[in-house]
């Protein structure tokens, strides 16, 4: 059984050496290229239902997280968490007048819409296997239903920036995906991979291996790995980017507390938002299909464990746990 993780670069925002301290007081041609992309057939809008949650129908079963309204709310809350860790930014990459941006796995499309507002001269394309994006969007945004692990139909050397967030658990062949991203970026173009990591860190010994939370995290990753799924691939990102040919590769991790226990006010705010989405949405979203469909657990067994996890994060939460919003950037040679 894996040991509880401890971060090696724990920090509060602005000081990478300071540990997190608990608070004891509390040019895209749409006409020619669009015909080559996967068409939005009527079957795309048919959904599958399981354990009271709704899942995508296009390439059914490829992604074990739901796509219903509850999950969409969670994705938008996580978008807010990412922005909080970036001091309000949309990405760690410093963009310089991008003209074409691709958002792979766009989800609700909130990132694509906001980056299109920030860069109105850029053409922004968001792709996903679920048609859950809004119809009313800025004029420089376009959404496509597409599986990123199939051959991309976009012209090569066409994007200034490729953004992939929270691909862990859905992408099975990262080297192949990054090779496609490399081919479709312009020389000098950049890619950013970001993850909300599915591991728990603790610096003060308050995270017990006997806890239900530890059992849940450990079982979750065991089931996922046994089916070829990796929900925490961040440690491989830098190597995969270099393998694909990217240069100027950098990594950065920002702490994300689970709860409002830190003294640092910014971390406290992040922790409160993250804990809300974690307890009310993420625990169910990440567990139901994985445990019952892939792990052989009954719905009742799963719900009992999840209830125990929630109870450990109640008003008397003892464990000072945190995870990370983590970023890896690479640049295609050229210019």
């Amino acid at each position: 059984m894996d040991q509880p993780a401890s971060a090696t670069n724990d920090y509060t925002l602005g000081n990478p050496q300071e540990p997190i301290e608990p608070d004891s007081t509390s040019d895209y041609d749409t006409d020619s290229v669009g015909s080559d992309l996967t068409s939005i057939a009527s079957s795309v809008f048919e959904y599958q239902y399981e354990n009271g949650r709704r899942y995508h129908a296009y390439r059914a079963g490829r992604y074990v997280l739901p796509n219903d309204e509850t999950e969409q709310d969670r994705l938008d809350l996580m978008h807010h968490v990412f922005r909080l860790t970036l001091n309000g930014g949309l990405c760690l990459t410093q963009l310089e007048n991008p003209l074409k941006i691709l958002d792979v796995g766009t989800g609700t499309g909130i990132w694509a819409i906001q980056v299109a507002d920030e860069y109105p001269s850029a053409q922004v394309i968001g792709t996903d296997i679920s048609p859950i994006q809004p119809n009313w969007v800025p004029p420089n945004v376009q959404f496509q239903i597409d599986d990123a692990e199939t051959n991309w139909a976009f012209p090569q050397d066409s994007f200034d920036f490729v953004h992939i967030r929270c691909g862990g658990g859905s992408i099975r062949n990262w080297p192949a995906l990054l090779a496609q991203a490399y081919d479709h970026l312009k020389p000098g173009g950049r890619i950013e991979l970001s993850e909300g990591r599915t591991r728990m860190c603790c610096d003060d010994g308050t995270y017990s291996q006997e806890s239900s939370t530890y059992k849940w995290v450990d079982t979750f990753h065991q089931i996922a790995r046994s089916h070829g799924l990796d929900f925490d691939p961040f440690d491989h990102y830098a190597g995969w980017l270099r393998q694909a040919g990217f240069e100027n590769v950098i990594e950065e991790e920002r702490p994300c507390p689970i709860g409002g226990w830190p003294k640092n006010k910014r971390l406290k705010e992040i922790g409160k938002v993250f804990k809300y989405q974690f307890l009310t949405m993420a625990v169910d979203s990440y567990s139901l299909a994985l445990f019952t469909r892939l792990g052989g657990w009954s719905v009742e067994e799963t719900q009992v464990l999840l209830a125990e996890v929630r109870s450990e994060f109640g008003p008397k939460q003892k464990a000072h746990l945190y995870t990370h919003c983590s970023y890896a950037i690479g640049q295609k040679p050229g210019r």
Side-chain angles (χ1 to χ4, degrees), residues 34 50 78 96 101 106 126 144 158 172 178 195-196 201 209 237 240 281 301 310 330:
E50 184 180 338
M78 276 305 300
E96 300 174 0
I101 297 173
T106 194
Q144 298 280 353
S158 59
R172 293 175 182 267
L178 296 179
E195 287 291 337
C201 300
Q209 294 188 35
Y237 280 174
W240 285 336
M281 306 170 190
E301 289 173 323
R310 292 189 187 94

Side-chain angles (χ1 to χ4, degrees), residues 39 58 103 117 119-120 130 145 203 213 238 260 272 283 315:
S39 63
Y58 177 56
D103 185 29
D117 283 335
Y119 300 97
S130 285
I145 305 305
D203 297 335
T213 302
K272 288 179 177 179
V283 172

Side-chain angles (χ1 to χ4, degrees), residues 275-292:
K275 179 177 176 178
Y276 176 78
Q277 70 82 32
F278 175 75
L279 290 186
T280 62
M281 306 170 190
V283 172
D284 275 355
S285 291
Y286 273 84
S287 303
L288 287 176
L290 191 78
F291 276 65
T292 62

Side-chain angles (χ1 to χ4, degrees), residues 29 40 70 136 151 178 201 244 273 276 329:
D29 185 345
I40 305 178
T70 299
W136 296 97
N151 290 331
L178 296 179
C201 300
V273 177
Y276 176 78
I329 299 172

Side-chain angles (χ1 to χ4, degrees), residues 1-3 198 209 213-232 286 290-291 294-297 305:
M1 180 176 291
D2 296 338
Q3 298 298 315
T198 55
Q209 294 188 35
T213 302
Y214 185 92
K215 177 182 178 182
W216 171 64
V217 173
D218 186 67
T219 305
F220 172 87
H221 284 292
Q222 284 188 32
I223 296 172
R225 286 194 296 265
S226 70
H227 287 80
L229 300 174
D230 186 356
F231 280 88
D232 191 27
Y286 273 84
L290 191 78
F291 276 65
L294 302 183
W297 286 48
L305 178 60

